[in-house]
Amino acid sequence: MERPSRQRQQEQEAEKGSEEHIACPECESTDIITDADQGELVCDDCGLVLDERQIDRGPEWRAFNHSERQSKSRVGAPITETMHDRGLTTTIDWKDKDAYGRSLSSEKRSQMHRLRKWQERIRTKDAGERNLQFALSEIDRMASALGVPRSVREVASVIYRRALNEDLIRGRSIEGVATSALYAACRQEGIPRSLDEVAEVSRVPQKEIGRTYRYISQELGLELKPVDPKQFVPRFASALGLSEEVQAKATEIIDVSAEQGLLSGKSPTGFAAAAIYAASLLCNEKKTQREVADVAQVTEVTIRNRYQEQIEAMGFR
């Protein structure tokens, strides 16, 4: 049997607290119980009914597990930062069906189309809200293209709102700040996405994204750690069809190389790609430099340079 929810526990504790102050007028016992079915307060010692017809403030339906409780809940969707109105306004569904799933008549469909159009218009009251709506939709589009989890979209939306409140968007493009917020959110949440990958799904140049990212991270005081190349190893190895042995060896190569200070100033994607290439050779699962470079979106020259440094750091000649 499932434990009651926190709200239900609080209600029960409040009821118990109020019952502790009640004493039976017959036997002066404080052992008072609540009969929820009958709506009565009853003395457990002598059976005297102290109060009747109490108001039941709970729901009229019953639920025996978590899924039933969630399906019968009447609350709306949770507040989200990914929408300009935080999801608090009404949304008219695009499906032209009634409550029973039947198709609407042509007259009703045209009426719903007009209502839907006016609903979209009145959701934003000024140009600022329209710009915010556009920026958050851009973040959602790019996040879907990158395949990042929902938490990254929430964090990116919060970062963009902070930049908007601090007036950091003035003189910069909305798309550039939105892309920079998404890249900062990926860094903050530990999701391995390089600047090249983010620039591919964006509508602004990579140079502008990097410049805007450095500006907003400095102004907002975002404490972002350097990207760890080991975060890219599982994704690159999976795309190349390499085994876990190769992944473990690549991680070891990165650790040894980083201890000798070779990681400083190097691209994390190139460093991870070179480690995977070296590990594939050591584990007899050879992949060409071109194959690894295509997956990691780096040049073969970068892989060769990092590969030579890593091999020397491992003590192989």
Side-chain angles (χ1 to χ4, degrees), residues 221-276:
L222 303 177
E223 297 180 359
L224 302 174
K225 298 179 181 179
V227 180
D228 189 355
K230 291 186 290 186
Q231 294 179 341
F232 294 94
V233 170
R235 186 156 61 92
F236 292 168
S238 177
L240 291 166
L242 297 173
S243 64
E244 293 185 4
E245 181 185 0
V246 176
Q247 295 185 35
K249 193 65 177 177
T251 303
E252 180 187 350
I253 292 172
I254 293 173
D255 287 334
V256 173
S257 304
E259 288 176 0
Q260 299 186 20
L262 300 179
L263 183 56
S264 178
K266 305 295 192 305
S267 167
T269 52
F271 209 81
I276 290 175

Side-chain angles (χ1 to χ4, degrees), residues 3-271:
R3 295 167 57 188
S5 64
R6 185 176 183 83
Q7 182 180 0
R8 188 61 181 167
Q9 284 179 342
Q10 291 175 349
E11 291 176 358
Q12 290 175 351
E13 288 173 1
E15 290 175 0
K16 290 178 182 177
S18 62
E19 292 167 8
E20 287 177 357
H21 300 289
I22 299 175
C24 177
E26 290 291 333
C27 62
E28 298 184 353
S29 172
T30 56
D31 193 4
I32 309 300
I33 60 174
T34 303
D35 187 353
D37 294 332
Q38 302 296 328
E40 298 175 343
L41 281 180
V42 183
C43 175
D44 196 32
D45 290 341
C46 66
L48 179 68
V49 178
L50 305 181
D51 192 9
E52 59 182 351
R53 295 182 182 177
Q54 284 190 319
I55 298 175
D56 184 7
R57 303 186 184 278
E60 79 282 0
W61 43 261
R62 294 190 302 169
F64 300 99
N65 54 45
H66 180 70
S67 60
E68 287 186 10
R69 190 175 294 109
Q70 290 296 106
S71 64
K72 293 181 179 180
S73 177
R74 292 194 178 89
V75 297
I79 294 176
T80 175
E81 297 291 339
T82 58
M83 300 176 70
H84 74 283
D85 51 14
R86 291 181 169 85
L88 296 176
T89 58
T90 306
T91 303
I92 301 177
D93 196 4
W94 60 269
K95 298 177 182 177
D96 292 324
K97 295 183 182 296
D98 61 10
Y100 299 99
R102 296 175 298 200
S103 298
L104 301 177
S105 62
S106 58
E107 183 182 354
K108 284 291 183 182
R109 280 201 301 271
S110 61
Q111 182 183 4
M112 293 304 296
H113 176 71
R114 289 194 300 272
L115 287 173
R116 197 178 296 116
K117 182 169 63 176
W118 278 104
Q119 172 66 16
E120 285 299 319
R121 288 177 178 175
I122 65 175
R123 286 183 70 183
T124 53
K125 62 181 180 180
D126 52 24
E129 282 197 359
R130 284 195 295 273
N131 292 339
L132 178 59
Q133 184 182 29
F134 172 70
L136 297 180
S137 65
E138 276 293 290
I139 290 175
D140 193 60
R141 179 190 65 81
M142 292 184 290
S144 298
L146 290 171
V148 296
R150 183 78 184 176
S151 60
V152 174
R153 307 182 191 195
E154 293 281 350
V155 173
S157 302
V158 171
I159 292 174
Y160 184 87
R161 287 176 185 273
R162 287 184 59 193
L164 184 62
N165 294 334
E166 295 290 335
D167 200 22
L168 304 181
I169 303 178
R170 188 182 301 275
R172 293 172 177 79
S173 67
I174 295 175
E175 296 95 332
V177 179
T179 309
S180 304
L182 180 60
Y183 178 62
C186 290
R187 292 276 300 269
Q188 192 166 328
E189 292 294 297
I191 304 298
R193 293 294 184 273
S194 64
L195 191 59
D196 294 331
E197 292 175 298
V198 176
E200 270 193 3
V201 300
S202 177
R203 296 192 176 104
V204 293
Q206 179 179 340
K207 187 176 181 181
E208 181 183 345
I209 298 171
R211 183 171 61 247
T212 308
Y213 162 73
R214 287 191 293 270
Y215 174 72
I216 65 171
S217 61
Q218 181 179 0
E219 292 295 322
L220 296 179
L222 303 177
E223 297 180 359
L224 302 174
K225 298 179 181 179
V227 180
D228 189 355
K230 291 186 290 186
Q231 294 179 341
F232 294 94
V233 170
R235 186 156 61 92
F236 292 168
S238 177
L240 291 166
L242 297 173
S243 64
E244 293 185 4
E245 181 185 0
V246 176
Q247 295 185 35
K249 193 65 177 177
T251 303
E252 180 187 350
I253 292 172
I254 293 173
D255 287 334
V256 173
S257 304
E259 288 176 0
Q260 299 186 20
L262 300 179
L263 183 56
S264 178
K266 305 295 192 305
S267 167
T269 52
F271 209 81

